[in-house]
Amino acid sequence: MIIETFSAEETFACGYEFGQKAEAGQVFCFYGDLGVGKTVFTQGFAKGLGIEEPVSSPTFTIVQVYEEGRLPLYHFDVYRISDPDEMYEIGFDDYIEGEGVCFIEWAELIEEILPEERTEIIIEKDLSRGYDYRQITIREVK
């Protein structure tokens, strides 16, 4: 599935729709350069889960847990991970097998430990289509 958005608000709304439909145990893996809108999409998703607290990228903490919505949201930013095995030290398996939804930014850095079933979300810019244009490709991996 390919979705095009032309503003941060539309990217947020796309995430919101997915958040409303999310189910426990789902794992979403994000791919895209810095500044493409991964966090904006995640903020919309969180709002769709009913999470009201501010959502930001957990760059320095690796994982941020939001529990106030209808499902917990486990938001990972693995940009600073140098070895995928480091993920096990923070309880990665417990989150993946937990009652919530996992969002993993920079998922390509831990590809070898990702669950076989997951949703991949690739967000790309195309400046020829406008500064705020985003192409969001969503595919199920099984």
Side-chain angles (χ1 to χ4, degrees):
M1 168 190 319
I2 295 178
I3 299 166
E4 296 180 310
T5 65
F6 294 87
S7 67
E9 293 79 16
E10 287 181 11
T11 300
F12 181 96
C14 181
Y16 180 85
E17 275 187 53
F18 276 86
Q20 289 186 308
K21 298 173 188 173
E23 298 175 10
Q26 285 186 294
V27 175
F28 294 87
C29 298
F30 281 92
Y31 303 86
D33 292 333
L34 288 169
V36 295
K38 295 182 298 284
T39 301
V40 170
F41 186 98
T42 304
Q43 290 168 337
F45 189 96
K47 189 69 127 176
L49 286 174
I51 296 169
E52 295 297 328
E53 69 181 284
V55 173
S56 60
S57 188
T59 303
F60 297 103
T61 59
I62 311 291
V63 64
Q64 181 69 44
V65 177
Y66 302 94
E67 295 182 328
E68 71 177 64
R70 66 179 179 82
L71 294 170
L73 174 61
Y74 312 125
H75 183 195
F76 292 87
D77 183 328
V78 300
Y79 186 75
R80 298 194 185 306
I81 293 291
S82 59
D83 183 334
D85 287 337
E86 290 177 45
M87 294 297 289
Y88 295 116
E89 294 172 18
I90 61 167
F92 185 66
D93 284 342
D94 294 332
Y95 290 112
I96 293 292
E97 296 168 10
E99 298 295 317
V101 179
C102 289
F103 262 51
I104 305 169
E105 294 188 36
W106 302 101
E108 64 271 21
L109 299 176
I110 60 166
E111 192 80 34
E112 58 267 30
I113 66 168
L114 293 174
E116 287 185 26
E117 283 193 36
R118 61 187 184 266
T119 302
E120 296 184 340
I121 301 174
I122 300 104
I123 303 178
E124 300 170 290
K125 290 181 185 183
D126 181 348
L127 295 177
S128 71
R129 309 268 323 262
Y131 179 77
D132 292 323
Y133 172 85
R134 300 294 185 266
Q135 178 177 300
I136 303 170
T137 304
I138 300 168
R139 62 179 173 227
E140 300 295 325
V141 176
K142 296 185 186 219

